[in-house]
């Protein structure tokens, strides 16, 4: 392995034609230049220069190194520039895996803020529901995962993963606008025990079944869909009622659907997950800060 400082000095010796000339250009003493060249020759394992009278000439090894010196130093300079751009947040890529309603709310706010303050930092968006999305983080397929969990559901998080809590998202009951209970500000789950239901993703469905069991009834689930628009459209058509997080209603609300608070209130926890070692990556830390700021603007969902 070569010391890049020695390669730089070697190139200046070639340009100046002597150790003393290189010393004047670099601001070193001639003995310092001599010591660097001896160190480089030790690294190479052979002599780089030979003297013919008062002139210095390159050996075969010196000629070979001379042909590569510019490339070596230019490559190092390019790498340093790229590393500097990344550490100073002029460049960088962060892969974020998020569930659909986070992709439609938090992510656009983060990307808009980055476009103004750090246009060189790019977010690559992947979509996935937990717990699969957490698996993608563990496999290195993304840098940050946005996921949610419900009370009573313990999330198995490996030691190398850090949870960054963002906000609590209140659950809402969706009713057709003509439903008798739509006149209320809040609805008890047990009051809808005889209704037909439209359920959501597997994790949301599991929580819904748990909450119904706590109220002493088993719901009649007529349809299941991961698509929030499909769920709302089915409710609007009078096919059934549904339980949906408020985050969804902040960007998608069918005009024939009424959202009513659940009584007593129930919430899910929305968090960002990141590998502990990635907290030191400037672009990843920046995106986490932007996610926190976006979440703070959504307190009370």
């Amino acid at each position: 392995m070569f010391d890049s400082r020695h390669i730089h000095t070697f190139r200046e010796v070639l340009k100046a034609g002597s150790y003393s000339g290189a010393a004047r250009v670099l601001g070193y003493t001639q003995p310092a230049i001599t010591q660097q060249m001896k160190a480089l020759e030790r690294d190479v394992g052979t002599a780089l220069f030979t003297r013919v009278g008062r002139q210095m000439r390159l050996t075969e090894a010196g000629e070979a190194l001379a042909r590569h010196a510019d490339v070596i130093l230019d490559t190092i300079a390019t790498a340093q520039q790229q590393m500097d751009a990344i550490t100073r947040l002029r460049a960088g890529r962060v892969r974020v895996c998020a569930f659909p309603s986070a992709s439609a709310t938090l992510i656009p706010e983060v990307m808009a803020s980055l476009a103004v303050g750090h246009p060189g930092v790019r977010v690559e968006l992947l979509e996935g529901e937990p717990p699969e999305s957490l698996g993608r983080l563990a496999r290195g397929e993304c840098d940050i995962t946005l996921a949610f969990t419900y009370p009573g559901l313990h999330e198995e998080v490996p030691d190398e993963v850090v949870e960054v809590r963002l906000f609590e998202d209140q659950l809402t009951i969706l009713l057709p606008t003509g439903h008798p209970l739509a006149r209320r500000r809040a609805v008890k789950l047990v009051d809808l025990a005889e209704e037909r239901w439209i359920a959501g993703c597997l994790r949301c469905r599991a929580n819904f079944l748990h909450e119904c069991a706590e109220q002493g009834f088993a719901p009649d689930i007529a349809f299941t869909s991961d698509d929030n628009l499909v769920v709302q459209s089915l409710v609007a058509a009078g096919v059934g009622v549904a339980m949906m997080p408020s985050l969804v209603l902040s960007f998608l609300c069918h005009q024939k659907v009424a959202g009513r608070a659940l009584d007593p209130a129930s919430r899910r926890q929305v968090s960002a997950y990141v590998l502990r070692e990635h907290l030191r990556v400037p672009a990843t830390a920046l995106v986490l800060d932007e996610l926190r700021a976006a979440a703070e603007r959504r307190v009370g969902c």
Side-chain angles (χ1 to χ4, degrees), residues 154-201:
H154 177 66
E155 193 72 74
E156 293 292 340
V157 179
D159 291 339
E160 65 271 19
V161 173
V162 175
E163 178 185 4
V164 179
R165 294 195 163 207
L166 297 177
F167 66 96
E168 290 186 341
D169 188 13
Q170 184 168 308
L171 299 181
T172 305
I173 296 297
L174 300 188
L175 305 166
T177 51
H179 194 284
L181 295 183
R183 293 191 294 269
R184 299 183 183 178
R185 296 185 62 182
V187 178
K188 295 182 181 296
L189 194 59
V190 70
D191 291 340
L192 297 166
E194 301 303 318
E195 298 281 348
R196 300 177 77 194
W197 289 85
I198 297 97
C201 71

Side-chain angles (χ1 to χ4, degrees), residues 4 73 75-85:
S4 62
L73 294 173
T75 300
I76 291 173
T78 300
Q80 289 175 333
Q81 290 170 2
Q82 292 178 355
M83 295 305 101
D84 184 63

